[in-house]
Amino acid sequence: MKSCAPLSLALAMIVLIVLSIAIAGCSEGVVSYDILVTKFDAGGHTAWSTKIGSGNQNLATAVTETPDAGYAVAGLVADSPRATAYPRVVRLDPDGRVLWDRTLDLSDVYSVAITGAPDGGFVVAQNINNFDSGKVSKIDADGQPVWNRTIDSALRAIIPARDGGFVLAGSRTFYIDANGTILWNRSFSSTSIREAAGGGFIAERSGVPYPDTSVFYLDNNGTVVWTTPVGSRESGKITSLFEDPTGDIEAVYTFYDSTKNKDVVMYMESEQVTLGRGGDITGRQPIVAVDPLTRTTDGGYAFLAYPFPGSSAFTTLPHSGSSLHFIRLSPGGAVAWDQSLGLSPAATPVSILQTRDGGYLTVVLVPS
């Protein structure tokens, strides 16, 4: 199963705005969103598109591919932009039809991450306050609750482990078994994490409130073996973390450069940072990819973004007169294709992943 990258920069801002308005109790001028899920073939042609809405506020924060080539979209649903946002999972079949739509419980959430379980169900990690409160829940293949565990950590990402357990990244880092029992609990904070091919885990910490973006290697017990800083921008965020077949780690570091902003449009830059097995930096390469993006099987990237005015660069945040683009990069970083999706500047890209059939799935928030 494949799952998406951590909460994107643009989506994180949308969620913050929605929650701040809910706290303030004001909804004037606030946009309500639906979730647009689109499947593309390997050549970038649209296979199907499904809009998920319920006449209220619909936000997606993660997506995972299922064994039957369907998808599970996790996010938030609220009666209005100012109302309490509850965790939600929507299951789609391989052709994009909604199989079921579940609101999980009554937790007011900031974001939701999801991964598949070996039995065909799902494990969902809820980030309740983005600081020290979270919940991890197991649901079965029909979306019915199996168990819930409250955890004293914000939960930002979840991955399956080889032994059937799960690893949770957040303000603390956890390893749980298939029943949700915590096997280890580390004070180490992380934004995303993945299993290393040779054992242990590769993690990263970036974004607010972590101005010093770093990559970490943890052993099987969650102990940090080495740490390597890869960027020091306050706005910087790792938007892709990948281990190649040789054991090298490739991290894409994306950041804003305010000195190049144009007409209040934020200028974004990225570089691919390569680290050896011991954590030493062996290379840096500028690339035009920005968040959200996915690593492709041929060593390139695919991402969603808005063209930056008057340049060959891209930005995550929408701006006047632009439309959202789907861009594919070759392994060398050249633009293989760049196509407009015809979505207005009010569209907010959430996630993109390459599917097992070589195609792509995109998740975008669009005005209701």
Side-chain angles (χ1 to χ4, degrees):
M1 273 184 198
K2 296 184 179 182
S3 58
C4 76
L7 195 65
S8 73
L9 293 171
L11 181 59
M13 295 185 69
I14 288 288
V15 174
L16 278 172
I17 291 169
V18 169
L19 292 184
S20 64
I21 289 167
I23 293 169
C26 175
S27 60
E28 291 184 5
V30 179
V31 177
S32 293
Y33 287 95
D34 290 333
I35 302 164
L36 183 66
V37 184
T38 306
K39 176 68 167 59
F40 298 88
D41 65 19
H45 304 103
T46 302
W48 53 258
S49 190
T50 298
K51 184 180 288 188
I52 301 170
S54 51
N56 45 31
Q57 184 67 286
N58 304 275
L59 300 178
T61 56
V63 63
T64 188
E65 187 174 11
T66 56
D68 67 349
Y71 306 93
V73 180
L76 297 67
V77 63
D79 290 337
S80 69
R82 60 169 292 184
T84 298
Y86 298 124
R88 177 194 198 183
V89 176
V90 181
R91 179 75 160 84
L92 304 178
D93 73 8
D95 295 316
R97 292 183 289 261
V98 175
L99 296 176
W100 47 257
D101 183 345
R102 306 279 189 259
T103 300
L104 300 187
D105 51 34
L106 298 181
S107 296
D108 188 6
V109 291
Y110 175 88
S111 64
V112 182
I114 190 170
T115 192
D119 62 2
F122 303 92
V123 180
V124 180
Q126 302 176 31
N127 180 358
I128 294 176
N129 67 356
N130 208 34
F131 177 57
D132 62 358
S133 180
K135 182 183 291 186
V136 59
S137 305
K138 171 72 183 298
I139 57 177
D140 66 18
D142 294 320
Q144 300 302 321
V146 178
W147 49 255
N148 284 289
R149 305 284 185 267
T150 299
I151 292 182
D152 59 341
S153 170
L155 301 176
R156 301 189 179 98
I158 183 169
I159 62 166
R162 297 185 187 94
D163 65 356
F166 302 89
V167 186
L168 297 155
S171 52
R172 300 177 68 89
T173 304
F174 296 82
Y175 194 105
I176 63 174
D177 67 14
N179 297 313
T181 301
I182 296 174
L183 302 182
W184 50 255
N185 171 0
R186 302 288 177 259
S187 59
F188 162 79
S189 58
S190 53
T191 311
S192 68
I193 194 165
R194 58 178 298 146
E195 277 195 299
F201 306 92
I202 302 163
E204 59 90 5
R205 182 167 61 209
S206 63
V208 178
Y210 310 114
D212 294 323
T213 299
S214 299
V215 176
F216 305 81
Y217 175 70
L218 287 66
D219 66 18
N220 287 321
N221 297 314
T223 301
V224 177
V225 178
W226 54 255
T227 303
T228 302
V230 297
S232 58
R233 301 278 185 136
E234 185 175 353
S235 63
K237 184 177 185 291
I238 288 179
T239 51
S240 174
L241 190 63
F242 178 79
E243 183 183 14
D244 72 16
T246 70
D248 285 347
I249 301 164
E250 295 175 352
V252 175
Y253 176 60
T254 302
F255 56 93
Y256 297 126
D257 186 345
S258 61
T259 65
K260 299 178 182 178
N261 287 355
K262 183 176 182 180
D263 300 328
V264 305
V265 181
M266 290 185 174
Y267 187 88
M268 300 177 69
E269 298 181 61
S270 295
E271 58 181 6
Q272 179 180 286
V273 183
T274 304
L275 297 86
R277 295 184 181 182
D280 54 311
I281 294 178
T282 59
R284 290 181 181 269
Q285 174 188 351
I287 60 174
V288 297
V290 298
D291 188 34
L293 74 156
T294 187
R295 184 68 181 261
T296 55
T297 53
D298 66 353
Y301 294 94
F303 64 100
L304 300 174
Y306 290 91
F308 187 81
S311 79
S312 59
F314 296 91
T315 180
T316 296
L317 299 177
H319 55 90
S320 177
S322 65
S323 66
L324 188 65
H325 282 223
F326 177 13
I327 303 98
R328 174 82 159 83
L329 300 183
S330 70
V335 175
W337 77 60
D338 176 357
Q339 59 191 51
S340 171
L341 298 183
L343 298 176
S344 75
T348 301
V350 174
S351 182
I352 181 171
L353 59 83
Q354 187 171 32
T355 53
R356 284 190 297 271
D357 63 3
Y360 303 89
L361 190 87
T362 63
V363 180
V364 179
L365 302 183
V366 294
S368 299

